[in-house]
Amino acid sequence: MNTKTVLVAGATGTLGTHIVGALLQEGAHVRAMVRATSDRSRLEALGVTDFAVADLNDRASLDRALAAEPGVAAVVSSAAGSTGHSARTKGNSAKTDTEGYRNLVDAARHANVPRFVLISILECGKAIGVPHFSEKFETEKYLATTRQPYIALRAGAFLDRARDVVPDHLRKGVFPDILPGVPMALVYSRDLARYASQAALRIPDSALNRSVDIGCDVPATGERVAAAFTRVLGRPIVARPVFPRILFTVLPWVAWVSPRLRDNLAVLKWLRKGGYVNRNTGAQKELFGELPTIEQTVARYCRDKGLVPGPGEGAAVPAVS
């Protein structure tokens, strides 16, 4: 069997780790791109042995990562400058998300990598000037300009988060609602990881060189998601705002003290406009099958988190009073 090698940038992140796991399940050989300060333990637990120490802001290190044997059949990147690791190591998020990604694209092009899978952001082409969104769109445009074969998976709002506090809230009967009343496309990271793996290994070349909206079958408000949790868990779950309303009045006056806080405020203001929905669902269906419903996504999430029993398992974890 001809095992394909896939370089995963951002491999140590929550989504990146799921992508690595999905690729390994497909039988791929994974080369995990890590920084010297990255924690490799979760990847090693999955069985990864091929690590490339590299940084998006160091083009030479990227060239070395892609030149190593066996040759790379695809690059999958969920790397981002706006991470906790970058903050702790004082990484320049703006430089990573712009110049860093251009370096990675150039290195892939130089190494003649057959395809580049970019984890992008839903509606990034309309979020002009919005941090993180606009940088992803610039990378999409750069991939097209350089004629590096690519596919961009534009993910919506994640049901799970890097530091996932949702299960603890659910045990108390609460779903944390970041933007009450605002419908958003919902994505579960394990689903997105599976799509990324399929994009790297299985979809035909004719499906490349485009962006694909990724989400559930319909956009959902926090109340809709809470209702799905109620049905799956068999007990009442209510949506409760994460932020008090007054915060959006006060935050602009204090955000100036922190560039990261300013960025987050700009993103929240954009999301509140209600345009964070997957309008083109046909491409996702064509490439990856029927779109999951909110209920199906929530049910998988609950099983993975041990909130409900899986096949052949015992009772669910009880609620905390």
Side-chain angles (χ1 to χ4, degrees):
M1 186 174 84
N2 183 19
T3 301
K4 292 183 178 180
T5 296
V6 180
L7 175 78
V8 179
T12 57
T14 299
L15 175 59
T17 301
H18 290 324
I19 291 172
V20 169
L23 287 164
L24 292 173
Q25 287 183 347
E26 292 267 5
H29 173 80
V30 172
R31 180 171 302 145
M33 196 179 101
V34 298
R35 286 183 280 188
T37 53
S38 296
D39 180 0
R40 307 181 188 184
S41 58
R42 289 193 299 175
L43 298 174
E44 291 171 338
L46 289 175
V48 176
T49 58
D50 188 351
F51 291 94
V53 177
D55 191 294
L56 292 181
N57 294 317
D58 180 356
R59 169 62 193 276
S61 71
L62 300 175
D63 287 334
R64 289 192 297 271
L66 288 165
E69 292 295 333
V72 172
V75 169
V76 180
S77 184
S78 63
S82 55
T83 64
H85 183 276
S86 292
R88 290 191 300 273
T89 58
K90 302 186 185 303
N92 186 329
S93 65
K95 183 178 180 182
T96 298
D97 290 335
T98 52
E99 294 178 28
Y101 259 100
R102 288 196 292 272
N103 287 336
L104 184 57
V105 173
D106 289 343
R109 183 65 176 161
H110 178 73
N112 294 314
V113 174
R115 63 180 59 187
F116 190 114
V117 181
L118 172 69
I119 304 301
S120 190
I121 304 178
L122 193 62
E123 295 291 271
C124 62
K126 298 178 182 178
I128 306 302
V130 178
H132 318 313
F133 284 69
S134 55
E135 286 90 345
K136 290 296 186 184
F137 186 55
E138 289 302 316
T139 300
E140 289 184 18
K141 290 194 296 183
Y142 193 68
L143 282 161
T145 299
T146 58
R147 296 187 177 181
Q148 164 62 47
Y150 78 97
I151 185 165
L153 304 182
R154 290 182 168 182
F158 284 92
L159 175 60
D160 51 334
R161 296 126 198 219
R163 181 178 174 272
D164 196 0
V165 300
V166 173
D168 288 338
H169 285 277
L170 291 173
R171 291 185 175 96
K172 299 173 184 177
V174 172
F175 174 71
D177 192 354
I178 294 178
L179 292 171
V182 178
M184 294 186 286
L186 191 68
V187 175
Y188 181 26
S189 63
R190 291 181 185 271
D191 288 342
L192 180 58
R194 188 174 69 255
Y195 300 154
S197 175
Q198 292 173 8
L201 300 172
R202 281 204 262 152
I203 66 171
D205 291 344
S206 59
L208 298 178
N209 302 320
R210 59 173 164 169
S211 301
V212 179
D213 289 359
I214 301 294
C216 290
D217 59 340
V218 293
T221 62
E223 288 188 350
R224 171 72 184 273
V225 178
F229 274 114
T230 295
R231 287 189 289 274
V232 171
L233 296 174
R235 54 187 172 83
I237 302 294
V238 297
R240 185 171 295 169
V242 173
F243 307 116
R245 286 183 177 272
I246 194 172
L247 182 69
F248 291 97
T249 302
V250 175
L251 197 56
W253 296 95
V254 298
W256 62 273
V257 302
S258 166
R260 193 172 185 185
L261 193 58
R262 287 199 301 273
D263 287 355
N264 290 337
L265 176 61
V267 170
L268 285 173
K269 288 174 67 175
W270 162 251
L271 296 180
R272 288 182 77 189
K273 294 179 180 180
Y276 199 40
V277 298
N278 46 332
R279 304 183 191 281
N280 177 17
T281 59
Q284 180 180 343
K285 181 177 179 180
E286 171 198 342
L287 296 177
F288 308 118
E290 292 292 334
L291 275 64
T293 66
I294 302 297
E295 288 73 17
Q296 289 169 338
T297 300
V298 164
R300 282 197 301 275
Y301 174 85
C302 288
R303 286 196 299 271
D304 291 342
K305 297 295 180 178
L307 298 168
V308 296
E313 296 178 352
V317 177
V320 176
S321 59

